[in-house]
Amino acid sequence: MNGVDRALSDAMDIDGALGAALVDYDSGMALGTRVAAVARLDLTLAAAGCTDIVRATRRTLDTLNLGAEEVEDILAALTGQYHLIRPLTRTNGSSLFLYLVLDRTRTNLAMARHHLRRIEATLEL
């Protein structure tokens, strides 16, 4: 199992995970995706849309001259889901992010964020 497959499998082990993707925000392409059997998600399309969010957030931070501040994660809280984006900073691929869709009723958001940090720390590309 390569690094991408292992990272996505680990992400899907998070309680309430509906889908996970590793995405290159320069191109908007998903390097890999996983979707739970119960979920009806087009993660490829969603991942491409999330690239716009990551780019806009980075542009905003640049405009605000926040210096050494980095985006740890970006959260969209919907009524039934959490969409969590984690730009990767500890890998060779600085233009990558992990994207995780979670069932809001089954997820502990703090634990999900903790697991994504752990996945990032062990990800080998």
Side-chain angles (χ1 to χ4, degrees):
M1 184 178 286
N2 71 30
V4 173
D5 290 333
R6 180 167 306 279
L8 295 175
S9 292
D10 289 348
M12 291 303 293
D13 287 339
I14 296 170
D15 286 338
L18 297 173
L22 181 65
V23 184
D24 178 345
Y25 72 77
D26 284 336
S27 67
M29 294 190 61
L31 304 178
T33 62
R34 296 284 185 282
V35 178
V38 297
R40 291 181 296 156
L41 299 171
D42 184 343
L43 277 186
T44 304
L45 180 60
C50 287
T51 61
D52 293 333
I53 295 168
V54 173
R55 290 176 190 155
T57 302
R58 290 188 182 268
R59 276 194 312 269
T60 301
L61 292 178
D62 288 345
T63 301
L64 295 174
N65 293 320
L66 293 178
E69 290 292 321
E70 291 186 28
V71 176
E72 187 172 327
D73 52 39
I74 302 165
L75 172 67
L78 307 180
T79 55
Q81 297 176 346
Y82 291 123
H83 290 245
L84 191 57
I85 300 167
R86 181 167 183 88
L88 303 183
T89 58
R90 294 187 179 126
T91 64
N92 299 359
S94 61
S95 67
L96 300 177
F97 65 88
L98 280 166
Y99 173 50
L100 186 61
V101 180
L102 301 159
D103 179 333
R104 189 172 175 152
T105 63
R106 295 183 29 230
T107 297
N108 178 320
L109 185 57
M111 288 304 296
R113 292 181 67 221
H114 171 75
H115 284 292
L116 281 184
R117 280 192 298 276
R118 182 185 51 77
I119 292 167
E120 177 186 6
T122 61
L123 179 62
E124 294 180 21
L125 296 174

